[in-house]
């Protein structure tokens, strides 16, 4: 990797100042923990002139509870999120997912906002400048073909943040601030199925906070991922499950996926499981439903069919733990 180039670094103390500083720069980027962005800069993938540092903004660093609600600032670190008592109590999958990101040192400074806004990944893209140049780059950055699907014009780089699929289980909303003011958006609508342009954020928009309603006490949730290096690695497939079982029957079921497509998403058509007996047949059907929608492409060294199969198996295992 290359050395970091000279960059102008701003230290705003408020969301409004951060947005103004970003708007004033010709090619500025928001910088939180830097564990994704700085790597991409050193690989020559990103070339901003200035960075707007977010971790001195008090509003973005708090986890606050109101009746039935929780709000988590965009600059809350992953360690804080993983250790937060109300998050662990009401949104176990979110705390577990945060605790599974990278290694302990990354979680110390990596943030929720950075995790939700991190770039998509592909084995042909997350490489040094000389490696990519020797391979004629690719569609996502400076090149003309996709090495994963050479016949097409679409990029399949995978969104590989751990926390998003867990937040999707709880219909999380994101609060955004930009040059035109603030707005709220369903987290699901922050993403689009395009590895080259996977975020719907407007120009200069900042993710200020995530808001969620607490689920009923009958709801359980959990997160698990498959990865090459158990101590520190992105998910080959990450699976979040939300489930409630009463009188032996499933009364609530959602499954969120990451690492298998350009966006994190909830598995569709799970309504058919509501009212079904929580038994082995049901678990096997759930496994197959998840596997069928985890359409991983050749964006990692690990083959796609393994990632599809492991996604189904993880969903089956997580759901079984609550039967
Ligand atoms: C070795 C290694 C292993 C990793 N393993 C994992 C893993 O297992 N799982 C995983 O999920 N991630 C992993 N990561 C990626 C990264 O560490 C985490 O995703 C982390 O949460 C990113 O947060 P950050 O604050 O460091 O983001 P940054 O690098 O600061 O920012 C990432 C992107 O988000 C934008 N951004 C940051 N905050 C905001 C905001 N509030 N509003 C709008 N845009 C914003 C930045 O401009 C940038 O584009 C790994 C990284 C490394 C280097
Ligand atoms: S999926 Fe294709 S275009 Fe996208 S990063 Fe990989 S090689 Fe590049």
């Amino acid at each position: 990797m290359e050395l970091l180039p000279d960059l102008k670094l701003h230290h705003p103390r408020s969301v409004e100042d951060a947005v103004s500083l970003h708007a004033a720069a010709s090619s500025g980027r928001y910088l939180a923990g830097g564990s994704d962005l700085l790597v991409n800069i050193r690989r020559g993938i990103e070339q901003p002139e200035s960075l707007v540092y977010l971790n001195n903004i008090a509003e973005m660093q708090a986890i606050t509870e109101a009746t039935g609600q929780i709000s988590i600032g965009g600059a809350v670190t992953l360690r804080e999120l993983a250790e937060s008592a109300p998050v662990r109590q009401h949104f176990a999958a979110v705390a577990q997912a945060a605790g599974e990101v990278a290694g302990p040192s990354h979680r110390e400074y990596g943030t929720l906002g950075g995790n939700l806004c991190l770039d998509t990944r592909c084995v042909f893209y997350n490489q040094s400048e000389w490696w990519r140049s020797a391979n004629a780059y690719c569609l996502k950055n400076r090149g003309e073909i996709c090495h994963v699907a050479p016949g097409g014009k679409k990029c399949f780089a995978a969104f590989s943040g751990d926390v998003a699929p867990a937040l999707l289980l709880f219909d999380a909303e994101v609060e955004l601030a930009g040059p035109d003011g603030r707005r709220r958006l369903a987290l699901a609508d922050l993403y689009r199925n395009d590895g080259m342009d996977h975020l719907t954020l407007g120009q200069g928009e900042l993710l200020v906070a995530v808001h969620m309603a607490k689920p009923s006490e009958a709801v359980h949730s959990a997160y698990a991922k498959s990865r090459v290096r158990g101590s520190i690695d992105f998910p080959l497939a990450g699976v979040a499950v939300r489930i409630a079982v009463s009188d032996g029957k499933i009364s609530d079921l959602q499954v969120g996926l990451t690492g298998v497509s350009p966006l994190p998403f909830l598995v569709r058509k799970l309504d058919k499981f509501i009212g079904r007996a929580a038994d082995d047949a049901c678990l096997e059907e759930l496994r197959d439903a998840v596997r069928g929608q985890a359409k991983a492409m050749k964006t990692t060294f690990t083959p796609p069919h393994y990632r599809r199969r492991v996604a189904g198996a993880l969903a089956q295992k997580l759901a079984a733990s609550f039967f």
Side-chain angles (χ1 to χ4, degrees), residues 65-307:
E65 275 184 280
T67 324
Q69 295 279 331
I70 196 163
S71 298
I72 307 166
V76 164
T77 68
L78 295 161
R79 179 189 55 77
E80 289 166 336
L81 188 57
E83 292 179 357
S84 157
V87 176
R88 289 165 70 106
Q89 182 184 351
H90 301 286
F91 310 97
V94 176
Q96 289 168 15
E100 293 278 307
V101 173
S105 55
H106 297 87
R107 298 194 290 273
E108 203 57 49
Y109 55 92
T111 64
L112 173 61
N115 195 259
L116 296 179
C117 297
L118 92 164
D119 198 0
T120 51
R121 298 184 62 77
C122 173
V123 70
F124 294 100
Y125 174 72
N126 297 100
Q127 301 289 352
S128 62
E129 169 64 25
W130 66 262
W131 192 101
R132 288 179 298 114
S133 124
N135 287 282
Y137 300 100
C138 77
L139 273 186
K140 183 164 160 70
N141 188 272
R142 296 163 69 179
E144 288 177 9
I145 62 158
C146 168
H147 302 296
V148 167
K153 283 287 168 200
K154 184 169 157 60
C155 168
F156 298 93
F159 179 82
S160 305
D162 283 297
V163 184
L167 292 173
L168 288 175
L169 299 178
F170 301 102
D171 296 328
E173 286 190 347
V174 287
E175 181 177 337
L176 306 174
D180 297 327
R182 296 201 183 203
R183 66 179 176 128
R184 276 205 192 194
L185 188 71
L187 175 65
D189 294 333
L190 181 65
Y191 300 105
R192 59 166 79 92
N193 194 8
D194 177 350
M196 275 190 283
D197 188 17
H198 71 297
L199 292 175
T200 63
L201 282 175
Q203 175 64 28
E205 269 191 321
L206 170 65
L207 192 156
V208 178
V210 172
H211 305 283
M212 285 182 292
K214 292 178 188 168
S216 89
E217 290 196 356
V219 167
H220 301 281
S221 69
Y223 178 79
K225 69 197 266 193
S226 165
R227 51 184 156 180
V228 174
R229 298 169 294 181
S231 57
I232 172 176
D233 228 330
F234 286 91
L236 295 168
V239 181
V241 169
R242 164 188 169 136
I243 193 165
V245 178
S246 68
D247 298 330
K249 297 210 161 104
I250 295 173
S251 55
D252 187 331
L253 180 66
Q254 295 281 7
V255 177
L257 296 182
T258 188
V260 291
S261 71
L263 80 176
F265 64 96
L266 289 178
V267 173
R268 295 168 294 280
K269 298 186 184 161
L270 295 186
D271 292 357
K272 63 182 176 187
F273 291 99
I274 304 300
R276 288 269 306 271
D279 56 19
D280 286 349
C282 179
L283 285 172
E284 283 165 20
E285 217 178 294
L286 174 64
R287 176 198 64 201
D288 293 346
V290 171
R291 187 190 292 174
Q293 291 182 42
K295 297 192 185 302
M297 299 286 285
K298 282 196 275 183
T299 54
T300 63
F301 287 116
T302 306
H305 72 268
Y306 175 82
R307 290 157 64 201

